[in-house]
Amino acid sequence: MKRYGWTVSSWGIALVLTLPILALIVEALLPAEDIFRHLWASVLPAYIGNTFWLVSLVMGLSLLFGLPAAWLMAMCELPGRRWLQWALILPLAMPSYIVAFVYTDLLDYSGPVQLALRDWFGWQSAGDYYFPPIRSLGGAALVLGLVLYPYVYLLGRTAFLEQSTSLIQSSRLLGCTPWQSFCRVSLPLARPAIAVGLSLVAMETLAEFGTVNFFAVNTLTTAVYDTWLGYGSLQAAAKISAIMLLVVMVLLSLERMSRKRQQVFQKSMGHEQEAGYRLTGGRKWAALAFCWGLVGLGFLLPFVILCYHAVRYFDQAWNARFFEYSLNSLVLSAVVAVLGLAIALLLGMTHRLKGKRHTVLPLRLAAMGYALPGTVLAIGVLVPLTMMDFAINDLALWLSLPEPGLLLTGTMTAIAFGYLVRFGAMAIGAVESSLNKVSPSLDMVTQTMGYGPAAMIRRVHLPLIRKGMLAGALLVFIECMKELPAALLLRPFNFQTLATYVYQFVSDEQLELGALPAIVIVLVGLIPLIFLNRSLEQHH
């Protein structure tokens, strides 16, 4: 039994973690009920159209913001470049719905920008001038573009840094201008990495709930949320979720294809020396204004406004509820991070010890949940857990015992399980990556010395992969702290996390009172960015 214990355990965990996806597919394949048919005939086509345009616009804006910034940081010499290349990642730490509220407050009809314009030019009403509405599909795309462009920037910059300088110099010797060299050499080589970045942006946009709901832009994500909470129809919500699942699978397939091509393009490229286009005069100032403008609009301005509100309304925000919800978030995130790490170690070690094809499949299955948008995941979790709750209560009734009620869906079990399914992939990826760097010869030497699997893991592997384990657990912890849509759908009654607490204030247009917990979320979100920046600096 010992021989098969590792394999059986890893398969068991993988199947439990894929249960929400399987349940979602089964529920979606059942005959359609009246609510879904009504939604399909009335609003769903418009929601699908909105989702398509939103994803397309955000991808376009992320490319427009991220790609020039990546090239400038990798290829040009600019004053303060070392600080700037790190600062350009910062918008990732800022929840998009907070940025949405800040810009709505600034740019609405009653906001300071339009008040100033009316004051300067003597305009009396909205009929005297045109100002683009921030609460629109375009406004949502702009906010998400400012928050998500770092995906394209990070992968693009890494790809440019890895390119052979001799190729770029050769193109210059052949008479290419810097622009022609970029178009004919740098961009084609970086294209697969940029495609991966854009697919990540597309999946994040598809999963976005806070901003689109606040701006009243109806997408498939809001449709899932409204169908479950508004109509109370789990089956209709599951069918809409299945449509989103299909879109995610298409995006993942495109991303995998890009990655295959990336391996072919950049197999033996190396950045032999610092490439340096020395920008001067107007070009230098334009490049600095563009890059610092992105940092300012995507992070600094919202953060300064949050700090202002947090100081001004500190007495009202610093209360028992703030501490209670902070504790809720910390405990929940810590529990999921520890469980995620334990699962990652079990799956990673099983594959390491057995080293067979059938042990890599549980790893891949267990990591599938990360691709699911939060609302889709929540429905996938609710379907099996609701059935289990009914079964437990029916069993208690049959045994003449008191019915336990909502034992799974009415407690922290549902939200913890949902987070584990979605974010466990991060711990799995970090542990697997660290284990791959440990030489197989160490395993052979340890076995020769007579150590069993448990002793080998304890004495050899764990000390060597300690940093990877910490990074994985930390990433899971931070993502759990920030997660909003899954928390809104899966939390028990009268249970709030910091994310749902802040979003409640945003929905009521009272972000001033939620600024303090919002700053906590942002500061926690900065931790992985500091790790990421350090690792990038070590590589280059």
Side-chain angles (χ1 to χ4, degrees):
M1 181 59 205
K2 257 188 178 181
R3 195 177 160 195
Y4 297 106
W6 289 88
T7 310
V8 171
S9 302
S10 64
W11 270 103
I13 285 168
L15 291 173
V16 168
L17 293 179
T18 49
L19 192 62
I21 301 172
L22 297 172
L24 195 66
I25 293 166
V26 170
E27 189 76 16
L29 292 174
L30 294 173
E33 56 182 31
D34 292 340
I35 290 172
F36 181 77
R37 281 198 291 267
H38 166 69
L39 290 171
W40 186 257
S42 54
V43 295
L44 269 185
Y47 286 15
I48 291 169
N50 283 348
T51 306
F52 172 77
W53 285 114
L54 183 68
V55 170
S56 302
L57 280 169
V58 176
M59 285 171 73
L61 286 169
S62 298
L63 196 62
L64 187 68
F65 298 154
L67 191 59
W71 191 78
L72 287 167
M73 289 301 102
M75 297 295 191
C76 300
E77 290 180 21
L78 287 167
R81 187 178 73 157
R82 191 174 172 196
W83 289 99
L84 190 50
Q85 64 189 16
W86 178 77
L88 280 160
I89 313 169
L90 291 176
L92 277 181
M94 187 66 69
S96 58
Y97 53 90
I98 293 171
V99 180
F101 182 86
V102 166
Y103 281 109
T104 303
D105 212 30
L106 286 173
L107 303 175
D108 245 357
Y109 180 73
S110 57
V113 173
Q114 290 203 52
L115 279 173
L117 288 172
R118 288 198 295 277
D119 190 40
W120 291 339
F121 296 105
W123 295 324
Q124 300 297 316
S125 67
D128 295 343
Y129 65 101
Y130 172 74
F131 196 88
I134 184 69
R135 290 196 190 215
S136 61
L137 192 128
L142 182 62
V143 166
L144 291 171
L146 283 170
V147 173
L148 297 176
Y149 81 82
Y151 286 115
V152 175
Y153 162 73
L154 273 172
L155 289 161
R157 177 178 158 238
T158 305
F160 289 138
L161 284 169
E162 285 172 352
Q163 286 172 13
S164 172
T165 316
S166 57
L167 278 177
I168 297 156
Q169 289 168 345
S170 301
S171 71
R172 297 302 307 279
L173 287 170
L174 290 167
C176 287
T177 63
W179 173 250
Q180 288 171 328
S181 175
F182 169 75
C183 291
R184 293 180 184 179
V185 179
S186 297
L187 189 59
L189 287 172
R191 199 185 309 159
I194 294 162
V196 174
L198 284 174
S199 67
L200 288 171
V201 168
M203 284 194 282
E204 287 290 335
T205 307
L206 195 67
E208 178 55 39
F209 173 78
T211 304
V212 292
N213 196 43
F214 181 62
F215 279 178
V217 176
N218 292 313
T219 63
L220 288 172
T221 309
T222 58
V224 173
Y225 183 80
D226 294 340
T227 306
W228 170 231
L229 289 185
Y231 293 102
S233 172
L234 200 56
Q235 197 203 62
K239 285 186 182 299
I240 300 167
S241 299
I243 297 170
M244 291 181 72
L245 190 60
L246 189 65
V247 176
V248 168
M249 291 306 163
V250 170
L251 288 169
L252 280 174
S253 304
L254 292 171
E255 187 255 356
R256 291 252 164 84
M257 283 163 62
S258 301
R259 205 179 287 176
K260 278 182 186 172
R261 289 168 63 198
Q262 191 176 15
Q263 289 169 354
V264 175
F265 278 133
Q266 299 188 25
K267 200 178 282 182
S268 57
M269 300 293 179
H271 202 67
E272 298 93 353
Q273 63 188 61
E274 282 290 318
Y277 294 117
R278 192 181 289 277
L279 298 183
T280 55
R283 288 180 180 179
K284 177 178 81 173
W285 293 113
L288 285 171
F290 175 76
C291 292
W292 279 114
L294 287 176
V295 178
L297 293 172
F299 181 81
L300 292 177
L301 180 64
F303 190 69
V304 167
I305 289 172
L306 280 181
C307 291
Y308 168 75
H309 289 320
V311 171
R312 196 172 168 202
Y313 293 89
F314 183 79
D315 291 340
Q316 287 162 273
W318 189 261
N319 54 32
R321 284 187 304 168
F322 169 66
F323 288 107
E324 183 193 336
Y325 303 151
S326 298
L327 188 64
N328 285 350
S329 285
L330 288 168
V331 170
L332 180 63
S333 303
V335 167
V336 175
V338 170
L339 288 173
L341 186 60
I343 287 168
L345 282 169
L346 176 67
L347 294 171
M349 292 301 180
T350 303
H351 180 53
R352 175 88 182 188
L353 295 171
K354 303 293 176 183
K356 292 174 185 171
R357 199 171 278 180
H358 68 265
T359 57
V360 80
L361 194 55
L363 265 175
R364 301 292 164 260
L365 286 172
M368 276 172 66
Y370 187 61
L372 296 182
T375 45
V376 174
L377 170 80
I379 298 302
V381 167
L382 283 170
V383 172
L385 293 191
T386 304
M387 289 169 66
M388 286 181 200
D389 269 341
F390 279 128
I392 291 165
N393 282 280
D394 287 345
L395 182 64
L397 200 65
W398 184 68
L399 294 170
S400 303
L401 295 169
E403 292 179 46
L406 301 174
L407 199 63
L408 302 175
T409 52
T411 62
M412 269 178 64
T413 309
I415 192 169
F417 179 52
Y419 281 5
L420 195 58
V421 171
R422 180 142 198 240
F423 303 123
M426 290 181 159
I428 290 167
V431 168
E432 188 186 6
S433 173
S434 297
L435 279 172
N436 287 341
K437 291 173 188 168
V438 178
S439 171
S441 59
L442 283 173
D443 295 19
M444 296 171 197
V445 170
T446 316
Q447 284 168 346
T448 308
M449 292 170 70
Y451 286 110
M456 180 169 68
I457 290 165
R458 191 175 68 253
R459 297 197 171 191
V460 178
H461 293 126
L462 289 183
L464 289 172
I465 65 166
R466 195 171 62 242
K467 277 189 180 176
M469 286 164 56
L470 177 65
L474 202 59
L475 282 170
V476 174
F477 178 84
I478 285 149
E479 286 298 323
C480 291
M481 289 284 288
K482 287 164 65 178
E483 176 61 25
L484 175 69
L488 284 170
L489 285 168
L490 293 173
R491 64 192 168 129
F493 296 113
N494 299 320
F495 181 90
Q496 295 258 39
T497 65
L498 278 180
T500 61
Y501 185 49
V502 172
Y503 186 69
Q504 182 182 302
F505 285 118
V506 170
S507 300
D508 297 339
E509 305 206 3
Q510 291 182 315
L511 181 65
E512 301 86 7
L513 299 174
L516 188 64
I519 286 172
V520 174
I521 294 171
V522 172
L523 292 178
V524 168
L526 285 174
I527 298 168
L529 298 185
I530 294 164
F531 266 88
L532 183 64
N533 182 60
R534 281 191 178 168
S535 66
L536 283 172
E537 283 185 346
Q538 283 167 7
H539 280 97
H540 304 293

